[in-house]
Amino acid sequence: MSARPITTIKTVVAGIEAAGTGIKVFTLADPDRWDLPPFKPGAHIDLHLPNGLVRTYSLCNEPADNTRYVIAVKREADGRGGSRALHDEVGIGDVIGVSLPRGGLEPGADIARHVFVAGGIGVTPFLSMARHLLRIGNADFVLHLIVREEVPLAAHLAPLIEAGRVVVHRTSRAGRPDLASLVGEVGVQTMVACCGPEGMTDEFEGMTAAWPAANVHIERFVAPPPMIDPDAKPFVLSLARTGTEIQVRAGQTMLAALHEGGIDIPTSCCGGICGACKVGWIEGKPVHRDRVLSPYERERFLMVCVAGSNADRLVLDL
Amino acid sequence: MLDEIDAGSADSTARLGWSGLVRFLHLAPRAFLPMRAMEQLVLVAGQGIEGDRYMIGREEGFYSHKPEEGRQVTLFELETLVALKRDAGIELGPEEHRRNVTVEGVPLNHLVGRRFWLGETLLEATRLSIPCRHIEEITGKAIFDPLINRSGLNCRILQGGIVRVGDTVRNAA
Ligand code: FES
């Protein structure tokens, strides 16, 4: 029995394959090869690495291939350490916890044509999408892959390049292609998407600024901050019995912040109805969002799974 | 006031009689994994379902850090799925509610504290299940609120055996 709730999907590293200079493809699977939670083409997952880092990678396999999560990782020697840990420390059979897949592209029913622009290793989400579109028999798509010289994931891309689905642009030979001419005309039935280094996604964003938002998708290497309630503010939890202070980020639940701070609070529903996570409060302005406490109880207690704070500091009886 | 009401009325389900059916069976070996439809489940008395995440000793479920003797098998009403569609316009499949057994014609909320037969196995209902926010994350559907008070039943297995789709569910009064 673990003392903490299980918050990640348990996977094992079922395959590691070299896929170009400094790139490895990792295949993650359930220990019993059970189906994994479903995902959209080009979705991403967080990997909880053995060294404690959490890193996000796009899936490059397609949704129908549902017993594996396949990611491609480029070793960044000066990165923050996630890719180095994967390249240098992780081996076949290692256990890695991953999040539920998020994001991805939904091939809309009214979209007839897809144009993808990828820079280098930014090709991964579109590899997933291209495989998906081929599988469902959607013929009209093209992926422009901009690389300096070497094509990443060459073995995976070869059949698509041969079929004319992937067009490789080598900047070492021809200079940087003009994104606008690659993308072509605006059309309500066209979906354009870009994933690559910041300079490229910024240029793409500027170029498609006048397009309807529904027809443009941009995927950045550095994940954008999660969508949070614009009115949400960070605050500090002060634990009266231990004197500990815990920061609650804007939009984060008190419960998540307490867990991060190593404090276990019993929970069950995590939605403010069961009463399991009741905690006393001493000072501050709690915002109650539960459906279990009476007005009288709210004067002394709150439910940490849903409550917020209207002041910078909230003192809890913990 | 409730104390004064004739206890017999609390037994009305038994007196009125009901009999239901096992419509779907599902299990998953670990938290978050999709539930898989099965033709039969093996229930082990006092333990759980063979291969399921909450089987005692396996403990790979989302709630395994809070072991609960009365959560060896969980049931859900097919009628709730129908009601979700009808009243909230939400299509939820029997593989999505994450309980093991989907029954039809069984008044689950009336059975807390009672014993009943699920096919050849004998169960004792320990408490109502409560919905969990985590299911909205897994299914991507806003079902937390509509499932309050009809999120199924947690049971302990008194007598084990094999449960098959189509088996009868009946009171063990
Ligand atoms: S966990 Fe149920 S009310 Fe907070």
Side-chain angles (χ1 to χ4, degrees), chain A residues 189-215:
Chain A
Q189 291 192 306
T190 304
M191 154 77 92
V192 297
C194 178
C195 178
E198 215 179 332
M200 182 184 289
T201 49
D202 284 352
E203 184 185 339
F204 191 87
E205 189 168 31
M207 191 188 81
T208 53
W211 285 51
N215 296 66

Side-chain angles (χ1 to χ4, degrees), chain A residues 30 34 267-270 291, chain B residues 30 34 63 65-66 133 145:
Chain A
D30 175 73
W34 197 264
T267 58
S268 187
C269 70
C270 293
R291 281 169 280 180
Chain B
R30 268 171 286 284
Y63 288 113
H65 61 295
K66 298 199 311 176
R133 274 281 172 223
D145 280 15

Side-chain angles (χ1 to χ4, degrees), chain B residues 111-126:
Chain B
L111 297 182
V112 176
R114 306 175 70 95
R115 296 173 174 201
F116 61 97
W117 293 97
L118 181 73
E120 64 185 37
T121 69
L122 181 63
L123 306 184
E124 182 176 69
T126 54

Side-chain angles (χ1 to χ4, degrees), chain A residues 266-277 292 303-306:
Chain A
T267 58
S268 187
C269 70
C270 293
I273 60 163
C274 76
C277 66
V292 279
M303 307 309 301
V304 294
C305 65
V306 290

